[in-house]
């Protein structure tokens, strides 16, 4: 032993002397061939090099030196290699190779020469040492002597050669394991080295520079090393003599331990999807091979006994990072769902990868039975796999559950699921996707239970009844359908012969536990595509009015035809229910009537020309109304004033007599009554009204164009614009008299502020009669909402009524848009909406209504009014609008309901447009005041209108 140690030290001295001589030759070299000869003299002592391959690429006077180099024996070369890479020689030479040679000589090397006397030191060296040196080189910064960019580019090239093109990752794992066997130390002792090398390898994509090879990108790099490690693990397993060799002195074999460390760090760096795509591709193929009908062995036996497959059983056991296992588990389930794996295939893949780790680590088992069932949301197929593997613990297709811990685990899981599912707070705050997932988990679990199992559960029946009852009170049809599905499954467990159907749609044999929500097969499915029972949510999506609501601001009747093409902006009532009896009462437009009449007049038969009894029409006009449907139809007949008046007269009596009918026609009736008001037309002598809101320089109201102009100018007429229905203003034009020098008719001047009146022939046409009644209609509805009266609790049990009330107030303020009355009603409405009991209501239905009403306020207020209020020092409106912005931001960032934060983003867009228009109005006012030498109030900057994504405040 002493003699061998002496020989080793002597060899170390010789190696260091040779390295020093090579470095000196490289430093003193004046030609590239001198550097090549110096490096070759060392390389030939470490690697089997064909010197004749270099002779043709160097000058003749250096050729004899290369060909005459002394070639050692195989044993001597092995000893030189071990000493060179095991001591200080390689790091010393590597610094010269990576900096001096790269900066001064490497570009002059022929490709073949660079491969044999330069790349060979890294490609065929000890991978653990080479990787540490090259990765450290990527982190170096320029020191003045060398340009860092070529140095990093060369290091990246060598990493690709060493790790990817020459299976360096597998060689690194073999070196670590071989070193532990050679030194007779346990895997636990070399675990720090394994972790450090895994960290070096997985950090390469992050440390590569911008122009690095694409193979060093995280996606491609992690994919390649995953393929290498899986192939290397299979080969390593195949070479083992017996199964006991899979476990060494320190636990899991060092090779598998290195794989686990690398996989864990890949998941930590956000590439679990890349890793699992390769893992699933291989293991799914293996499982399918053993699930063939001709296979006579169970999958479990095959993987436990067949060499080359046993490493799958210990792969996750080697991963000590719980977060990495969780990320791998999630990706595994999602990718299996994407690949449409069968229930049997998915079960056996989960068993192969997780059954051992679940046996030894309680936290991993709880991840499946608690976190994956209660906190995460997976597709329903993944939910079935989770229950089958972690709860039932048996392959799919088992006819009955075995008694013991399997049945006990199912009962325990059902109790935990019902405890969450039955809480009212969960129904109020959880996203709809999470509610559907927990509901499906409860339903699938109940389907596996018998009445005897149910009797052994604690408070199961009470929890089911509580959860069903609180969901049946929800305004969302999807939530009510969940209650119906659980009630049906539960009734089948109690008495299979007498199922309980709370909903006609749940009458099918197999319940759809996806509830129409997005799945990998279906893609995204909008919730607004639900049936008529779900129409109460539709109104929250579409907040832009149709042509009838556009008439509320005094748009000419000729604009109605143009607005018919804007059907996508239709305002949908959340209570609207289509009744077949009302289809015949819908009024038909004049154009459609004329077109149909012209067609039928040409093709009509002789019988159509026969006279008929006019008394029938008279009787029809004077008939009595017996249903609210008839009232709605009569009010819509704008050409029958008497019928409208009689319908309004009997409406109250019919409501009192048939309150049940309101369930079907309430929305239609209220909508008809409010467009009756907003579309009414009257003619009256023109009077010059007193200004309702004072302006800066004129007594003319802010919503009317100025009447000043040259003599002979025509009256202002409203014209349609080319914008969308989101426009805040309409244009007005009038004819100007021609000048004496002009021959053509004078051009048109346009006014960009919307007017409620159209002046012509000293008469005023008023199309919207609703604003004058808006206050009397809205103010009483806003009073006492927070008090319990006559058994009505709007903030609590009767939150649906509160949501509909708020929605109605939003519609009313929208009907009075662009009128001074709207500005007077905004403050009390904002006071109601901003109260914490409403704006932070636990029910998402109420929050959606508040967002809708806030958006209606933004549309109803004219930017000119906001500008005038700020100029006059009235900052209440500014505070209210700022509350809308801040509250919408809060909802968009933190609300769990998808519809709420979607509507909040729309509300923020409306606020941004309003703030932009108001800021322009203020700028116009400032320029006008400077021109007329009128000083604006000094306290103007106190009012703020914030524009998102801008630092400007007005």
């Amino acid at each position: 032993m002493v003699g061998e140690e002496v020989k080793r030290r002597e060899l170390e001295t010789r190696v260091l002397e040779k390295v020093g001589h090579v470095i000196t030759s490289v430093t003193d070299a004046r030609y590239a061939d001198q550097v090549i000869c110096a490096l070759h003299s060392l390389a030939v002592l470490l690697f089997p090099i064909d010197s004749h391959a270099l002779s043709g690429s160097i000058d003749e006077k250096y050729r004899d030196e290369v060909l005459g180099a002394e070639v050692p024996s195989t044993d001597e070369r092995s000893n030189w290699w071990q000493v060179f890479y095991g001591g200080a020689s390689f790091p010393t030479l590597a610094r010269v190779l990576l900096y001096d040679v790269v900066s001064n000589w490497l570009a002059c090397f022929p490709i073949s020469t660079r491969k044999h006397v330069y790349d060979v030191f890294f490609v065929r060296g000890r991978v653990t040492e080479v990787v540490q040196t090259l990765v450290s080189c990527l982190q170096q910064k320029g020191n003045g002597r060398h340009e860092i960019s070529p140095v990093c580019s060369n290091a990246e090239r060598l990493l690709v050669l060493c790790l990817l093109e020459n299976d360096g990752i597998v060689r690194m794992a073999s070196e670590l394991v071989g070193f532990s066997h050679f030194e007779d130390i346990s895997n636990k002792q070399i675990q720090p080295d394994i972790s450090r090398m895994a960290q070096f390898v997985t950090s390469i994509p992050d440390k590569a520079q911008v122009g690095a090879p694409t193979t060093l990108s995280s996606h491609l790099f992690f994919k390649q090393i995953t393929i290498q490690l899986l192939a290397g693990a299979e080969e390593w397993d195949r070479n083992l003599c017996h199964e006991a060799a899979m476990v060494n002195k320190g636990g899991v074999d060092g090779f598998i331990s290195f794989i686990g460390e690398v996989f864990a760090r890949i998941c930590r760096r956000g590439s679990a999807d890349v890793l699992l795509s390769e893992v699933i591709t291989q293991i799914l193929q293996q499982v399918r091979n053993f699930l063939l009908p001709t296979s006579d062995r169970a999958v479990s036996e095959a993987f436990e006994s067949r060499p080359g497959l046993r490493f799958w059983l210990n792969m996750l056991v080697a991963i000590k990072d719980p977060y990495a296992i969780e990320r791998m588990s999630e990706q595994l389930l999602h990718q299996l769902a994407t690949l449409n794996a069968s229930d049997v295939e998915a079960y056996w893949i989960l068993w192969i990868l997780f059954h051992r780790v679940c046996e030894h680590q309680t936290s991993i088992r709880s991840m499946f039975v608690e976190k994956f069932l209660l906190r995460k949301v997976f597709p329903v197929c993944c939910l079935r796999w989770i229950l089958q593997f972690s709860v039932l613990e048996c392959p799919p297709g088992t006819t009955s559950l075995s008694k013991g811990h399997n049945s006990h685990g199912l009962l325990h899981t059902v109790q935990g699921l019902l405890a969450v599912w039955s809480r009212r707070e969960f129904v109020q705050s959880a996203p709809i996707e999470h509610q559907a997932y927990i509901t499906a988990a409860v339903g699938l679990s109940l389907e596996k239970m018998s009445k005897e199992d149910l009797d052994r559960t604690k408070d199961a029946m009470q929890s089911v009844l509580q959860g069903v009852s609180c969901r049946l009170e929800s305004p969302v049809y999807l939530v009510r359908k969940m209650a119906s599905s659980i009630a049906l499954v539960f009734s089948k467990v109690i008495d299979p012969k007498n199922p309980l159907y709370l909903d006609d749609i749940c009458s099918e044999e197999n319940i759809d536990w996806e509830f129409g929500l997005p799945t990998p097969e279906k893609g995204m499915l909008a919730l607004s595509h639900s049936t008529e029972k779900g129409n109460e949510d539709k109104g929250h999506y579409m907040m832009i009015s149709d042509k009838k609501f556009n008439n509320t601001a005094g748009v000419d009747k000729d604009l109605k035809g143009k607005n018919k093409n804007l059907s996508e902006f239709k305002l949908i009532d959340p209570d609207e229910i289509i009744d077949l009896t009302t289809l015949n009462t819908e009024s038909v437009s004049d154009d459609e009537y004329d077109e149909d009449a012209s067609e039928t007049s040409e093709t009509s038969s002789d019988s159509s020309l026969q006279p008929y009894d006019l008394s029938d029409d008279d009787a029809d006009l004077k008939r009595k109304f017996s249903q609210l449907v008839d009232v709605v139809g009569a009010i819509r007949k704008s050409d029958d004033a008497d019928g409208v008046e009689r319908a309004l007269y009997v409406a109250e009596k019919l409501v009192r007599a048939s309150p049940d009918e309101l369930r079907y026609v309430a929305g239609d009736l209220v909508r008809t009554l409010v467009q009756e008001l907003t579309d009414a037309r009257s003619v009256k002598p023109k009077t010059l009204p007193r200004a309702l809101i004072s302006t800066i320089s004129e007594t003319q109201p802010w919503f009317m164009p100025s009447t000043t102009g040259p003599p002979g100018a025509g009256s202002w007429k409203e014209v349609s614009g080319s914008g969308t229905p989101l426009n805040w203003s309409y244009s007005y034009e009038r004819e100007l008299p021609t000048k004496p020098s002009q021959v053509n008719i004078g051009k048109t001047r346009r006014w960009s502020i919307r007017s409620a009146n159209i002046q012509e022939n000293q008469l005023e046409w008023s199309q919207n009669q609703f604003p004058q009644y808006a206050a009397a209609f809205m103010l009483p509805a806003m009073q006492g909402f927070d008090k319990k009266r006559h058994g009505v609790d709007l903030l609590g049990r009767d939150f649906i009524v509160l949501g509909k009330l708020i929605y109605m107030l939003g519609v009313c303020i929208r009907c009075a848009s662009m009128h001074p009355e709207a500005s007077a009603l905004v403050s009390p409405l904002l006071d109601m909406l901003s109260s914490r009991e409403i704006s932070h209501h636990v029910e998402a239905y109420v929050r959606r209504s508040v967002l809708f009403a806030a958006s209606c306020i933004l549309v109803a207020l004219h930017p000119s009014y906001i500008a005038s209020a700020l100029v006059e020092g009235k900052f209440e409106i500014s505070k209210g609008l700022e509350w809308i912005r801040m509250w919408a931001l809060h909802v968009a960032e933190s609300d769990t309901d998808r519809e709420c934060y979607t509507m909040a983003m729309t509300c923020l867009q409306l606020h941004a447009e309003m703030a932009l228009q108001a800021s322009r109005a203020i700028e116009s006012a400032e320029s006008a005041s400077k021109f007329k030498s009128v000083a604006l109030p000094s306290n103007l900057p106190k009012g703020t209108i914030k524009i998102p994504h801008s630092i400007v405040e007005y």
Side-chain angles (χ1 to χ4, degrees):
M1 294 294 294
V2 177
E4 293 180 358
E5 185 66 23
V6 172
K7 291 181 179 179
R8 182 177 180 84
R9 290 181 179 178
E10 292 178 353
L11 183 58
E12 289 178 354
T13 303
R14 291 173 55 193
V15 172
L16 284 174
E17 291 177 352
K18 181 61 177 178
V19 170
H21 177 71
V22 171
I23 292 175
T24 302
S25 300
V26 171
T27 304
D28 299 338
R30 300 182 60 185
Y31 302 101
D33 289 348
Q34 295 175 340
V35 179
I36 293 174
C37 291
L39 296 178
H40 174 266
S41 64
L42 178 60
V44 77
L45 299 176
L46 302 174
F47 316 104
I49 297 178
D50 184 9
S51 300
H52 291 83
L54 304 176
S55 59
S57 58
I58 59 177
D59 193 78
E60 185 176 356
K61 63 180 179 179
Y62 301 104
R63 192 174 302 165
D64 295 337
E65 181 179 350
V66 171
L67 295 177
E70 181 181 357
V71 179
S73 63
T74 303
D75 293 338
E76 291 177 342
R77 184 185 296 120
S78 178
N79 293 334
W80 271 76
W81 190 92
Q82 293 289 345
V83 172
F84 178 77
Y85 286 102
S89 299
F90 173 72
T92 304
L93 180 65
R95 176 164 293 275
V96 176
L97 294 176
L98 294 174
Y99 290 94
D100 296 340
V101 174
V102 169
S103 301
N104 302 324
W105 303 109
L106 188 60
C108 303
F109 284 17
I111 296 178
S112 59
T113 303
R114 183 181 63 184
K115 176 181 177 181
H116 288 90
V117 300
Y118 184 84
D119 295 349
V120 69
F121 287 101
F122 302 95
V123 174
R124 304 184 67 175
R126 179 173 289 172
V127 184
T128 53
E129 298 295 331
V130 170
V131 169
Q132 293 182 72
T133 303
L134 293 177
V135 173
S136 300
C137 182
L138 293 178
Q139 297 177 290
Q140 297 294 328
K141 296 183 179 180
N143 54 10
R145 290 182 54 197
H146 308 100
E147 188 178 354
I148 196 62
S149 181
V151 173
C152 292
S153 298
N154 180 65
E156 292 163 355
R157 180 185 66 86
L158 293 174
L159 284 171
V160 173
L161 284 174
C162 178
L163 296 180
L164 302 183
E165 298 183 9
N166 289 275
D167 297 334
I169 299 295
V170 177
R171 289 164 50 205
M172 179 185 295
S174 301
E175 288 175 5
L176 291 171
V177 178
F179 178 73
S180 65
H181 289 302
F182 179 76
E183 297 291 339
D184 195 22
I185 60 177
S186 65
N187 290 328
K188 185 176 181 179
Q189 291 174 292
I190 67 168
Q191 190 62 38
D193 295 331
I194 291 177
S195 300
R196 185 176 69 255
M197 294 311 304
Q199 191 274 333
F200 269 109
V201 170
T202 54
S203 66
I204 290 175
D206 294 336
K207 296 174 181 177
Q209 59 183 358
V210 177
T214 56
T215 51
L216 289 183
S217 62
S218 60
H219 178 82
L220 295 178
F221 183 76
F222 291 146
K223 178 180 180 180
Q224 290 297 322
I225 65 176
T226 300
I227 294 174
Q228 274 192 51
L229 289 175
L230 292 178
E234 183 177 353
E235 184 65 25
W236 180 266
D237 187 16
R238 191 178 291 113
N239 294 334
L240 294 178
C241 298
H242 49 81
E243 185 179 358
M246 286 293 291
V247 179
N248 202 359
K249 297 185 292 294
V252 181
D253 183 88
F255 195 99
I256 303 299
S257 180
F258 176 74
I259 294 178
E261 283 287 339
V262 174
F263 285 179
R265 295 183 181 275
I266 290 176
C267 294
R268 278 283 180 180
R269 294 181 178 271
S271 296
D273 55 338
V274 178
L275 169 66
L276 265 298
S277 64
E278 299 301 326
V279 171
I280 291 177
T281 300
Q282 297 194 27
I283 194 172
L284 183 58
Q285 184 61 40
Q286 297 287 353
V287 169
R288 284 174 175 172
N289 292 337
F290 287 101
L291 288 176
L292 293 176
T294 57
S295 178
D296 56 353
R297 292 188 299 175
V299 178
S300 58
E301 296 177 0
F303 275 82
E304 287 177 347
S305 61
R306 182 170 178 176
L309 299 180
R310 294 171 298 184
F311 76 94
W312 291 107
L313 302 174
N314 290 319
M315 179 179 295
L316 292 183
V317 178
I319 300 179
K320 307 302 181 183
D321 186 356
Y323 173 80
I325 294 181
E326 181 178 338
R327 294 292 300 131
M328 290 183 66
S329 307
E330 293 179 16
Q331 283 295 325
L332 176 70
L333 292 169
H334 283 295
Q335 293 195 22
L336 284 176
T338 304
L339 295 174
N340 296 321
S342 66
D343 292 347
V344 177
E345 294 169 351
Y347 171 82
W348 283 115
I349 290 176
L350 290 174
W351 185 91
I352 291 168
L353 294 177
F354 290 98
H355 86 281
R356 285 191 179 180
V357 70
C358 287
E359 290 177 357
H360 296 90
Q361 301 183 31
T362 308
S363 60
I364 303 302
R365 175 173 175 78
S366 64
M367 176 187 72
F368 277 97
V369 298
E370 293 181 7
K371 182 175 290 186
F372 283 4
L373 289 180
L374 296 176
R375 305 177 193 174
K376 300 288 185 177
V377 176
F378 293 98
V380 173
C381 60
C382 299
L383 177 60
R384 291 198 308 268
W385 303 336
I386 295 171
L387 291 171
Q388 198 74 44
F389 168 70
S390 61
V391 178
L392 303 179
E393 298 183 1
C394 61
T398 304
T399 56
S400 62
L401 291 176
S402 60
K403 301 299 181 182
H405 69 282
N406 288 353
S407 178
H408 175 74
L410 177 61
L411 300 183
H412 179 75
T413 301
V414 170
Q415 289 179 352
L417 290 171
L418 286 176
V420 176
W421 184 81
S422 60
R423 288 190 291 112
R424 183 177 296 273
E425 295 79 7
F426 177 75
V427 183
Q428 292 173 340
S429 60
I432 195 70
E433 295 84 1
H434 195 190
Q435 294 192 44
Y437 182 75
I438 298 293
T439 303
V442 173
L444 292 174
S445 300
L446 289 175
E447 288 178 344
K448 300 293 184 180
M449 298 179 64
S450 63
K451 188 177 185 302
E452 292 75 15
D453 296 330
L454 194 62
D455 293 337
R456 288 189 293 161
T457 58
K458 183 180 179 181
D459 300 330
M461 180 174 292
Q462 181 181 355
S463 298
V464 170
L465 294 178
Q466 181 179 347
V468 169
S469 61
C470 69
R471 280 170 174 79
L472 290 178
E473 298 172 358
S474 174
V476 182
Y477 169 68
L478 208 57
V479 177
R480 298 197 299 271
K481 185 178 179 181
M482 297 175 195
S484 303
S485 301
I486 295 299
L488 176 59
V489 174
F490 188 75
S491 66
K492 288 182 178 180
V493 176
I494 300 296
D495 187 0
K497 296 182 179 179
N498 295 311
L500 176 62
Y501 297 104
L502 298 181
D503 195 330
D504 295 337
I505 298 182
C506 293
S507 60
E508 61 266 14
E509 185 67 24
N510 296 322
I511 299 176
D512 178 21
W513 294 113
E514 295 174 348
F515 301 107
L517 289 174
T519 60
E521 296 80 11
K522 297 179 181 179
M524 295 302 295
L525 180 64
L527 295 180
S528 59
H529 291 171
S530 58
T531 59
E532 52 91 17
K533 297 182 180 64
N535 285 341
E536 52 266 346
D537 288 333
K538 289 184 179 180
H540 299 298
Y541 286 106
M542 309 301 292
M543 295 185 291
I544 308 302
S545 61
D546 60 357
K547 60 184 179 62
K548 295 182 180 180
F549 274 91
N550 283 334
N551 293 336
T552 62
V555 184
D556 285 344
K557 187 174 182 179
D558 59 348
L559 294 179
K560 294 181 180 180
K562 299 179 181 179
N563 287 334
K564 289 179 181 178
N565 297 328
L566 303 175
S567 59
E568 63 271 22
F569 297 104
K570 183 178 180 181
L571 178 67
I572 304 175
D573 191 346
D575 298 313
E576 180 179 6
I577 297 178
I578 305 301
D579 192 287
L580 296 178
T581 59
T582 63
L583 296 180
N584 294 330
T585 62
E586 294 288 346
S587 59
V588 184
S589 63
D590 296 338
D591 296 338
E592 295 175 351
Y593 178 81
D594 294 342
E595 184 177 348
D596 295 339
S598 62
E599 293 179 357
T600 56
S601 62
E602 296 177 3
T603 60
S604 59
S605 60
D606 294 338
S607 61
S608 62
L609 301 178
Q610 300 297 324
Y612 59 91
D613 190 1
L614 294 178
S615 62
D616 293 341
D617 281 356
D618 185 65
D620 181 67
L621 291 175
K622 296 182 180 180
R623 66 186 176 89
K624 295 182 179 181
F625 300 106
S626 60
Q627 293 181 343
L628 289 176
V629 173
D630 301 329
V631 173
V632 174
I635 295 177
R636 286 180 173 174
K637 294 182 178 180
S638 58
D639 56 345
D640 183 10
D642 295 335
V644 172
E645 184 176 356
R646 287 190 294 108
L648 293 175
Y649 177 75
V650 300
E652 181 180 2
K653 296 181 179 180
L654 288 179
V655 169
R656 292 180 180 272
S658 304
D660 294 339
E661 195 176 354
L662 286 175
R663 176 182 178 183
Y664 304 101
V665 298
D668 206 9
L669 177 62
V670 173
R671 186 188 308 105
T672 305
L673 290 173
V674 177
Q675 282 156 5
E676 175 62 23
L677 286 175
T678 59
D679 200 29
R681 303 173 65 89
S682 61
V683 182
K684 57 183 178 181
K686 178 188 174 184
T687 59
L688 187 60
R690 180 173 57 88
L692 299 180
I693 299 177
S694 61
T695 56
I696 301 175
S697 58
E698 298 180 357
T699 59
Q700 183 77 7
W702 61 268
F703 54 86
M704 293 182 60
S706 177
T707 57
T708 59
S715 60
W716 289 103
K717 295 182 180 180
E718 190 172 6
V719 295
S720 60
S722 59
T724 66
L726 275 177
N727 283 346
W728 294 102
S729 59
Y730 288 84
S731 300
Y732 295 84
E733 66 179 12
R734 64 178 179 180
E735 297 294 334
L736 298 179
T738 59
K739 295 181 180 180
S741 59
Q742 288 181 330
V743 178
N744 297 329
I745 301 178
K747 296 184 178 179
T748 298
R749 292 183 180 177
R750 292 177 178 256
W751 186 267
S752 62
I753 298 181
R754 186 173 183 173
S755 172
N757 302 320
I758 300 179
Q759 307 168 13
E760 187 175 4
N761 298 327
Q762 302 299 318
L763 292 178
E764 182 181 80
W765 288 76
S766 179
Q767 289 184 289
N768 190 353
Q769 296 294 323
F770 176 73
Q772 58 183 322
Y773 306 107
F777 189 72
M778 295 176 62
L779 292 178
M782 288 186 281
Q783 293 178 353
F785 67 90
D786 55 347
K787 297 180 181 179
K788 298 181 181 179
R789 294 179 179 177
H790 306 292
V792 178
D793 183 11
L794 294 181
L795 296 180
R797 181 189 66 247
D798 303 313
F799 68 93
I800 299 179
V801 180
L802 176 63
K804 294 180 182 296
L805 174 65
I806 297 173
Y807 181 86
M808 180 269 294
L809 293 174
V811 173
C812 291
I813 200 71
R814 181 68 181 88
C815 290
S817 61
M818 300 301 176
H819 284 258
E821 289 81 359
S823 61
L825 293 171
V826 162
S827 295
L829 181 56
L830 279 176
D831 290 340
M832 177 184 179
L833 299 181
S834 60
S835 61
R836 185 168 184 84
E837 296 86 354
I838 290 183
S839 60
H840 293 80
H841 201 279
V842 293
E843 293 288 347
Y845 183 78
V846 177
R847 300 197 298 273
R848 295 174 206 157
S849 299
V850 176
L851 285 165
F852 174 80
S855 301
C856 289
I857 290 175
L858 295 174
V859 176
L861 284 178
H862 197 287
S864 299
Y865 163 74
I866 301 173
S868 300
L870 291 178
V871 170
E872 296 172 5
K874 301 177 182 179
F875 305 126
E876 291 79 7
I877 187 62
S878 174
K879 295 178 181 178
L881 295 177
E882 178 61 11
W883 174 83
I884 292 179
R885 188 183 73 89
M886 295 301 297
W887 180 70
L889 280 174
H890 171 74
V891 173
E893 293 173 355
S894 60
D895 203 295
T896 58
D897 186 75
R898 178 170 56 183
E899 299 173 43
C900 283
Y901 60 72
T902 302
M903 294 175 63
M905 292 304 299
T906 303
C907 187
L908 288 172
Q909 293 175 358
L910 292 173
H911 186 280
E913 176 67 17
M914 175 275 302
L916 179 62
Q917 297 288 353
S919 64
R920 290 175 176 173
I922 293 178
E923 291 175 354
S924 301
E926 290 177 348
S927 60
S929 63
K930 293 178 180 178
F931 178 76
K932 297 184 179 180
S933 301
V934 177
L936 292 177
S938 59
N939 58 352
L940 175 60
K942 293 182 181 179
T944 59
I945 301 177
K946 296 183 178 180
I947 302 178
H949 310 294
S950 174
I951 61 174
V952 180
E953 295 185 359
Y954 294 96

